[in-house]
Amino acid sequence: MRYLIAVLAVPLLLVGWLLIQQLGRRFARENPELGPYREEGGGCGKSCGCKGSSCQRREK
């Protein structure tokens, strides 16, 4: 029974996450004054000095 729950839960969670991302993109498209939609994990991150699209230095 636990196996069946896991087999059903994992794809449902994935589909739910994809729907949430789609809602975020739609919201950003309908509200351009708030800036572009930023994908999670996109860009350099929080711990480096970003200039444009490349990470110039990493802070430790």
Side-chain angles (χ1 to χ4, degrees):
M1 184 66 178
R2 288 183 182 175
Y3 178 75
L4 181 62
I5 292 171
V7 167
L8 294 174
V10 170
L12 286 175
L13 289 171
L14 176 63
V15 169
W17 181 244
L18 294 174
L19 290 173
I20 289 171
Q21 287 182 328
Q22 186 64 29
L23 287 172
R25 289 185 194 106
R26 185 182 308 158
F27 180 82
R29 190 172 50 246
E30 293 172 358
N31 300 283
E33 68 275 6
L34 299 176
Y37 179 73
R38 289 183 254 161
E39 294 283 340
E40 183 177 342
C44 291
K46 298 178 183 176
S47 64
C48 68
C50 288
K51 304 273 182 171
S53 63
S54 64
C55 192
Q56 298 297 327
R57 67 179 172 84
R58 295 205 178 265
E59 297 173 4
K60 292 186 179 189

